[in-house]
């Protein structure tokens, strides 16, 4: 049984892009966020196949390490 997975920011930085919307189906490895840290853009990928349940951040906002960017639920 797959539960809801939280996608956390691996480092502090500026959230440059959000590539998904609530309710969207994503595949494991798909780029869902772009986080800029130390002048480098880091692609944050989905850890699983699922559906985006919540998005907790806005593009252009400063993010702390460990901040929950979104939650992904199982595909029913």
């Amino acid at each position: 049984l797959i539960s809801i997975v939280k996608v956390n920011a691996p480092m502090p930085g500026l959230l440059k892009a959000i590539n998904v919307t609530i309710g969207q189906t994503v595949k494991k490895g798909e780029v869902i966020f772009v986080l800029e840290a130390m002048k480098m853009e880091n692609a944050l990928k989905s850890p699983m196949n699922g559906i985006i349940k919540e998005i907790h951040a806005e593009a252009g906002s400063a993010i702390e390490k460990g901040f929950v960017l979104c939650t992904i639920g199982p595909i029913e």
Side-chain angles (χ1 to χ4, degrees):
L1 185 70
I2 300 172
S3 60
I4 289 178
V5 173
K6 292 180 173 151
V7 177
N8 296 10
M11 63 199 82
L14 181 70
L15 191 61
K16 295 280 282 191
I18 300 173
N19 298 342
V20 291
T21 55
I22 292 170
Q24 182 177 333
T25 302
V26 292
K27 290 186 166 54
K28 182 176 179 172
E30 185 176 332
V31 176
I32 52 177
F33 295 101
V34 177
L35 186 67
E36 184 181 279
M38 297 176 291
K39 305 280 186 226
M40 289 176 55
E41 288 194 354
N42 301 281
L44 305 182
K45 297 177 180 163
S46 176
M48 62 180 271
N49 292 340
I51 296 171
I52 302 294
K53 295 291 186 187
E54 298 171 323
I55 297 174
H56 302 285
E58 292 179 19
S61 53
I63 302 295
E64 296 296 320
K65 180 178 180 184
F67 181 85
V68 178
L69 294 166
C70 75
T71 53
I72 302 175
I75 298 170
E76 276 116 39

